Amino acid sequence: MAREFSKKFYNSKQWIKCRNSFKQSKFHICNRCGEPGEEVHHIIYLTPENINDPYITLSFENLELLCSSCHSTEHNRKYKEVVRNGLKFDNFGNLVVDDG
């Protein structure tokens, strides 16, 4: 789900055209596993500071096509590493020691 600062960008004609062209250039195949690609992922994540930089937002060099599974793995990998170190998030999103 798009964060608030990026919603306007993701609904723009420029992004939709770029996204569709990129998917077609990759033959709709996930760059990582070879399954059908669905999500155009920004390698350098979008931030409020770079959202207006077309090299970051619209350049094919900063994009990869991922299936839903690979995209989910990409966005959740930092949390999995934390859990491996004996930490977890509580119901309020606070980082706590995993006792068990």
Side-chain angles (χ1 to χ4, degrees):
M1 177 180 240
R3 293 174 284 172
E4 193 61 40
F5 75 87
S6 63
K7 286 182 180 181
K8 183 177 178 181
F9 167 75
Y10 282 121
N11 288 318
S12 72
K13 290 179 183 179
Q14 296 90 345
W15 169 246
I16 293 168
K17 183 177 178 181
C18 177
R19 180 192 66 203
N20 292 341
S21 296
F22 188 75
K23 283 181 172 182
Q24 188 172 20
S25 77
K26 298 298 179 183
F27 304 102
H28 299 268
I29 302 296
C30 177
N31 285 88
R32 296 188 186 180
C33 72
E35 293 294 318
E38 301 161 14
E39 304 285 339
V40 177
H41 171 73
H42 286 92
I43 297 167
I44 299 172
Y45 289 8
L46 300 185
T47 67
E49 293 76 30
N50 68 23
I51 193 72
N52 294 312
D53 182 344
Y55 175 76
I56 301 295
T57 58
L58 299 172
S59 172
F60 279 21
E61 292 178 26
N62 190 42
L63 301 175
E64 66 179 326
L65 184 59
L66 302 177
C67 66
S68 293
S69 178
C70 288
H71 193 245
S72 179
T73 298
E74 172 63 30
H75 283 280
N76 291 315
R77 69 183 159 83
K78 62 184 173 184
Y79 301 114
K80 289 180 183 178
E81 291 170 5
V82 170
V83 173
R84 281 189 219 128
N85 290 327
L87 302 174
K88 68 177 183 179
F89 291 98
D90 66 15
N91 293 337
F92 302 102
N94 299 310
L95 191 61
V96 295
V97 174
D98 186 6
D99 292 328

